[in-house]
Amino acid sequence: MGEYSNKSKSYEVEEHPFELRHEVKRLNARLDKIADSLEKSEFKDILENYTDPKKRIITNLMAGISRGLGLSLGTFVILGLLGYILSLFLNVPVIGEYLGEIKKYIDANS
């Protein structure tokens, strides 16, 4: 077999061509797995975001604006639907009187 050194195995190509090819294929497969996992984790994008403060500020600003706008529009839609549904109950005896008073109060103050 080949001689052993302190750091790694050394092979003579003429003596062990199959072992060398097998070792190279195994290392290539491991490198491919590492490359795939780095691509899946989007490591490059993470590094760019953490090293560039301007990009991080703009990203966070846009995220905050979109969250605030989404919450405002969502609240508007839900309260509008709730008001419409409650207006359907104005003719119900007990609930209708209470909702009628609330509607008068709103109309008087608007």
Side-chain angles (χ1 to χ4, degrees), residues 16-33:
H16 304 287
F18 178 74
E19 289 181 15
L20 279 176
R21 282 183 275 171
H22 180 69
E23 189 72 19
V24 168
K25 285 181 182 179
R26 190 177 67 81
L27 289 173
N28 281 339
R30 284 189 79 182
L31 285 174
D32 287 340
K33 286 180 183 177

Side-chain angles (χ1 to χ4, degrees), residues 10-76:
S10 63
Y11 293 105
E12 295 295 327
V13 177
E14 292 80 20
E15 292 179 15
H16 304 287
F18 178 74
E19 289 181 15
L20 279 176
R21 282 183 275 171
H22 180 69
E23 189 72 19
V24 168
K25 285 181 182 179
R26 190 177 67 81
L27 289 173
N28 281 339
R30 284 189 79 182
L31 285 174
D32 287 340
K33 286 180 183 177
I34 291 171
D36 288 342
S37 65
L38 286 175
E39 286 177 9
K40 287 179 185 175
S41 67
E42 299 175 359
F43 191 69
K44 181 181 175 185
D45 292 335
I46 292 169
L47 281 179
E48 285 179 4
N49 283 332
Y50 280 112
T51 57
D52 188 11
K54 289 180 185 176
K55 191 172 187 179
R56 191 171 51 210
I57 289 170
I58 290 173
T59 301
N60 287 332
L61 180 66
M62 294 305 292
I65 289 172
S66 62
R67 284 186 192 117
L69 186 62
L71 284 171
S72 299
L73 288 175
T75 303
F76 175 74

